[in-house]
Amino acid sequence: MQDNYVQMLQEFHWHVPNVFNMADVCARRWSKNDHARDRTAIMEHQADGPARRYSFAQLQAAADALSHVLRAQGVKRAGRVAIVLPQRFETAVAYMAVMQMGAVAMPLSQLFGPMLCLIDCLIAKPLWLLLMIQPLMRCWVLEINARF
């Protein structure tokens, strides 16, 4: 078998338009399509029951609502938003909301614990923190005013 890696690497080019928004590609365009808007975008598995299904229309509506909240909190284009959420529907909503605004989503895993999340925040210096306290199952948007 011939190894064509070098040739393939030299010939490969990404075809990404000059103006590209991941949230538009992942949610908005599907929510506007009459044949896709009610199709399943996210399936959230539950330990104690059947999976919950969310459509592209539901994902986009929730992302739009959160974008308005983030904008009201002062999040702007290119603003860094650290996202510390468990794997669930609200997490996808958070990413879509942040990205469709042109802000930068900074993923932080709850699995790393609070100390590593703090270290990541000290390094990346996000301006906002979007998090969920697990037992309360509520999301908060916190503006970080500390000088690092």
Side-chain angles (χ1 to χ4, degrees):
M1 176 180 244
Q2 186 177 359
D3 183 2
N4 295 329
Y5 175 76
V6 173
Q7 178 186 354
M8 290 172 59
L9 183 63
Q10 291 171 345
E11 294 174 0
F12 179 80
H13 299 287
W14 287 101
H15 301 287
V16 180
N18 290 335
V19 177
F20 179 80
N21 188 294
M22 185 68 77
D24 198 43
V25 172
C26 293
R28 184 177 305 280
R29 75 174 177 180
W30 300 106
S31 71
K32 290 183 175 187
N33 181 318
D34 290 337
H35 300 292
R37 64 178 281 106
D38 295 322
R39 293 180 67 186
T40 301
I42 304 233
M43 186 168 18
E44 183 180 86
H45 293 279
Q46 305 293 312
D48 58 349
R52 293 182 187 152
R53 294 176 182 271
Y54 298 92
S55 70
F56 286 102
Q58 289 172 307
L59 174 59
Q60 188 60 52
D64 288 344
L66 181 55
S67 286
H68 291 297
V69 170
L70 293 171
R71 191 166 282 113
Q73 292 288 328
V75 176
K76 294 180 174 68
R77 181 174 175 75
R80 294 177 308 279
V81 180
I83 299 174
V84 187
L85 297 172
Q87 293 184 356
R88 50 185 297 127
F89 175 68
E90 291 81 2
T91 306
V93 169
Y95 281 98
M96 296 303 111
V98 170
M99 290 188 292
Q100 75 184 8
M101 297 174 65
V104 179
M106 189 180 116
L108 297 176
S109 175
Q110 290 183 324
L111 299 177
F112 295 146
M115 187 54 75
L116 283 178
C117 284
L118 175 62
I119 291 169
D120 285 343
C121 284
L122 290 171
I123 293 169
K125 300 180 177 124
L127 303 176
W128 292 271
L129 178 64
L130 184 60
L131 64 107
M132 177 181 285
I133 306 300
Q134 198 67 26
L136 302 176
M137 300 308 286
R138 292 195 53 208
C139 288
W140 285 276
V141 179
L142 305 173
E143 184 173 0
I144 301 172
N145 289 318
R147 300 281 179 218
F148 293 100

